[in-house]
Amino acid sequence: MNLVAIVLAFALEQWRAFRWRGGFVQLFRRYARTLERRFNAGTAQQGAIAGALALAPAVVLATGVYWGLDQISALLGFVWNVAILYLLVGFRHFSHSFSAIGEALQAGDVIAARRRLVAWRGSDAVGASAGEIPKLAIERGLLDAYRHVFGTLFWFLVVPGPGGAVLYRLTSLLAEQWRGDVDTPMGLQLARFSHPIAQMLHWLDWIPVRLTAMTFAVVGDFEDAVYCWRTQAKQWPSLHDGILLASGAGALGCAVGGMLTTATGEPEFRPELGLGDTADVDSMPSATGLAWRALLIWLVLLLLLTLAYWAP
C-alpha cells in the first residue's frame, strides 16, 4: 500500500499542485521563528527544547490520526498517507523555479533568471553571472530533489505511517530556518541554539543521502559519480551536501561548485565537484532527467520488495 500511496501522491502533484501546500510550510516557518525568539539564549539545551516543541506536535498528530483512521478502515489510513505525502513530497515544490530559470536563460534574459534564482536559493546568488546561474540552479535542484523526494520518502518507508516523513521534512525545514552564520555574534548564538537540530538532521540524512547518491550513479555515469563521491565530497563544507552534489555532477558529466561572484563583485572560491565542463543551461534538463530516473529506480525496487513480500 505504501507504493500505491507514493505513486498516487506524485500523480496528484503532477496533475495539480495547490497553492495551500506552500501555506503549510510558511505557517511552520513562522512557528519556528516564534520558538527561536522565545527560547534562543545561545545554548544547545534551549535549542533541544524548542526543537521538541516544534516537531513533536506535528509528528504525534500525523501518526495518531493515521493509527486512528487505520483502526476504523485501512482505506482511511491509506487516504491519510496520500494526503500527507501530497503535502510534503514532490518535485513541483521547486521545479517551477528551476524551469523558470532555464527558460529565462534560453531567452537570454539573465536578469530575470538571476531574480528567480535569488528568490529560490537566497542572497548568495545576487552577484551570479550568466555562466554561474545554471550551476547554482543545478546545485539547489539536486539538494531540493533529495530533501523533497528521496529523504522524505526514505523515512516514510522506514517508519510505519506518515510520522517518519513528517519528522524528516520538518527537521530539514527547522535546520534551514535556524541556520546561523558563525562569523557574527548573533549568528554564532543561533548556531549554538540550533546545534541539536543540525545533529538530528545529520543522522536522519546519513543513510538516505548515500542511497540517493548511489542511485544517481546507477542512472547516470556510474564510474564518474563514484569517483567524484569518493575524492571530492569531503571538500564541501557540508559532507552530506557534498556527497549529493559530487555524485550528481559526476553522474551528469559536468562540474558544479567552483568560483562564485558575490554581491560585491568579489570572487568566492568554492571546491569544484564533478568532472568535465562547467554545468550550463544545456545541463539543466539532464539534471531534471537524472532526478526522475532515480525516483523510477526507487519505485521499481519498492515494487519488487512488495511482490517478494506478498509472494507465497
Side-chain angles (χ1 to χ4, degrees), residues 180 198 218 237:
V218 169

Side-chain angles (χ1 to χ4, degrees), residues 92-147:
R92 293 188 69 174
H93 284 280
F94 61 91
S95 62
H96 183 67
S97 297
F98 190 82
S99 299
I101 292 167
E103 291 169 2
L105 289 173
Q106 291 283 5
D109 192 346
V110 177
I111 295 176
R114 186 185 297 112
R115 186 182 302 117
R116 292 306 300 262
L117 181 64
V118 171
W120 179 30
R121 180 179 171 116
S123 59
D124 67 337
V126 169
S129 66
E132 293 167 349
I133 291 173
K135 69 177 180 180
L136 293 176
I138 289 174
E139 289 171 17
R140 180 61 187 261
L142 290 174
L143 295 178
D144 275 10
Y146 169 73
R147 295 280 180 226

Side-chain angles (χ1 to χ4, degrees), residues 118-252:
V118 171
W120 179 30
R121 180 179 171 116
S123 59
D124 67 337
V126 169
S129 66
E132 293 167 349
I133 291 173
K135 69 177 180 180
L136 293 176
I138 289 174
E139 289 171 17
R140 180 61 187 261
L142 290 174
L143 295 178
D144 275 10
Y146 169 73
R147 295 280 180 226
H148 288 283
V149 179
F150 300 103
T152 308
L153 285 183
F154 174 84
W155 285 106
F156 171 73
L157 295 170
V158 168
V159 179
V166 173
L167 175 65
Y168 176 78
R169 189 72 195 99
L170 295 188
T171 301
S172 64
L173 284 171
L174 204 59
E176 181 182 351
Q177 183 70 36
W178 288 352
R179 182 180 294 120
D181 182 1
V182 296
D183 294 330
T184 65
M186 291 297 294
L188 181 59
Q189 176 178 317
L190 182 57
R192 290 170 178 164
F193 172 78
S194 63
H195 182 70
I197 290 297
Q199 284 295 104
M200 182 176 178
L201 182 62
H202 174 82
W203 290 113
L204 289 174
D205 276 338
W206 205 95
I207 295 176
V209 157
R210 287 156 176 80
L211 289 177
T212 304
M214 184 55 66
T215 311
F216 285 164
V218 169
V219 300
D221 188 320
F222 185 85
E223 290 186 3
D224 285 355
V226 173
Y227 172 80
C228 294
W229 174 359
R230 293 179 58 189
T231 62
Q232 300 173 350
K234 291 182 180 180
Q235 302 172 24
W236 202 254
S238 166
L239 175 60
H240 286 163
D241 288 355
I243 291 173
L244 292 169
L245 294 178
S247 62
L252 290 170

Side-chain angles (χ1 to χ4, degrees), residues 79-104:
V79 170
W80 180 248
N81 273 343
V82 173
I84 295 296
L85 286 175
Y86 177 77
L87 180 64
L88 299 177
V89 177
F91 291 109
R92 293 188 69 174
H93 284 280
F94 61 91
S95 62
H96 183 67
S97 297
F98 190 82
S99 299
I101 292 167
E103 291 169 2

